Amino acid sequence: MTTKPKILVARAIFPDALAQLEEKFEVQSNQADDIFSPEQLRKHLAEVKGALVFGSERIDRNTLSDAKDLKIVANISVGYNNFDVPAMTAAGVMATNTPDVLTDTTADFGFALLMATARRITESEHWIRNGQWDKMSIVYNPLGMDLHHTTLGIIGMGRIGQGIAKRALGFGMKVMYHNRKRLSETDEKACGARYVDKETLLREADHVVLVVPYSAESHHLIGAKEIALMKPTATLVNIARGGIVDDAALAAALKAKTIFAAGLDVYEGEPKVHPELLKLSNVVLAPHIASATEKTRRAMVALAIDNLNAALEGKRPPSLINTELWKN
Ligand code: 8YV
């Protein structure tokens, strides 16, 4: 009898996906969904050939130090700032992510969060839940900001940013964007977007949406200085990563009302949220759910499993990040 290769599934996944894995592999699973400490993760990785992880698992020199048999770590996430890719490459471990399958779902959510923020939807709901609807002024009850026919500024114009721009066109919005690399003329036309520098975007946009990947360069891309450039009527939405915005500076600006409102799906040090943000009514808070529809989360898990299977069968994983490990 041949023994099944060992793999790790570091957080809870759909039971049917787990059952599918168990047919081929000896699976160490974590359906209890308690986040592993780096030490626990290191011990698990030492015993397996492959691992499925989420953004909550940091893969670096330390967690890889005893992983002698490990061939692949498949992230169930498009962003992979939880990976130290050079350390993985040095250890000969393939790194993969889940691009494309979540683009439209995440762009939908960016727009939903923008609308909830500008139109003060969650804040208004509290009036109803607190039994205070009859105390609300009929004219001055939470007055929001329009989206239609305003200017949207998108920072980070990858697949998701472009998806948001295309949605904005349906609202008659003018779209400007800033990105490390300017899009081709064809792509700019397809999303009706004008390239501007970051300062112009912050000064002129009525609504700013952040969709940049996290890296040392994008850390605190939006801090006190940048927020000060924004209009007092502007909204700021972060669906990118915690750490792109200086959350303390944002909380101070929202408290002083130097911008109108913010919508956040990601936070510095999540799942913790800056305590000052929790006190404010002009911020909509979501618990990192931009890709969270059943269809999309299933597609992300399926793609991560495809990546894992390919690597363990000696084939090139469809979304290999450290391509230098593939020499065939
Ligand atoms: C994930 C995300 O849910 O894909 C990403 O980059 O932020 C989300 O879709 C999250 O990272 C969990 O892995």
Side-chain angles (χ1 to χ4, degrees), residues 298-326:
R298 282 189 175 278
M300 290 165 72
V301 169
L303 177 52
I305 293 176
D306 285 350
N307 280 318
L308 180 103
N309 279 332
L312 297 187
E313 285 164 12
K315 298 179 191 146
R316 183 186 170 123
S319 33
L320 183 62
I321 297 164
N322 43 2
T323 49
E324 61 270 46
L325 287 184
W326 192 257

Side-chain angles (χ1 to χ4, degrees), residues 1-6 24 26:
M1 204 181 83
T2 52
T3 52
K4 293 175 178 174
K6 287 186 188 165
K24 279 175 84 170
E26 189 182 320

Side-chain angles (χ1 to χ4, degrees), residues 191-251:
C191 42
R194 181 166 67 94
Y195 180 81
V196 291
D197 61 55
K198 189 175 92 177
E199 287 69 28
T200 304
L201 184 146
L202 291 167
R203 266 194 208 102
E204 293 183 10
D206 298 301
H207 306 284
V208 176
V209 178
L210 307 172
V211 211
V212 271
Y214 181 81
S215 67
E217 298 99 76
S218 63
H219 180 75
H220 285 188
L221 186 75
I222 303 294
K225 192 166 76 92
E226 288 74 22
I227 297 170
L229 296 175
M230 294 174 67
K231 297 180 182 180
T233 49
T235 58
L236 176 69
V237 166
N238 185 10
I239 59 163
R241 271 292 180 275
I244 304 274
V245 174
D246 176 344
D247 285 349
L250 175 63

Side-chain angles (χ1 to χ4, degrees), residues 283-296:
V283 57
V284 177
L285 305 171
H288 203 148
I289 55 167
S291 66
T293 64
E294 172 147 5
K295 187 168 170 224
T296 292

Side-chain angles (χ1 to χ4, degrees), residues 53-57 75-82 98 102 106 160 239-241 265-266 270 288-292 296-297 300:
V53 304
F54 287 83
S56 44
E57 283 68 53
N75 220 16
I76 306 175
S77 174
V78 63
Y80 52 87
N81 55 302
N82 56 318
T98 56
L102 48 61
T106 306
I160 298 169
I239 59 163
R241 271 292 180 275
D265 188 44
V266 287
E270 64 186 55
H288 203 148
I289 55 167
S291 66
T296 292
R297 283 285 162 85
M300 290 165 72

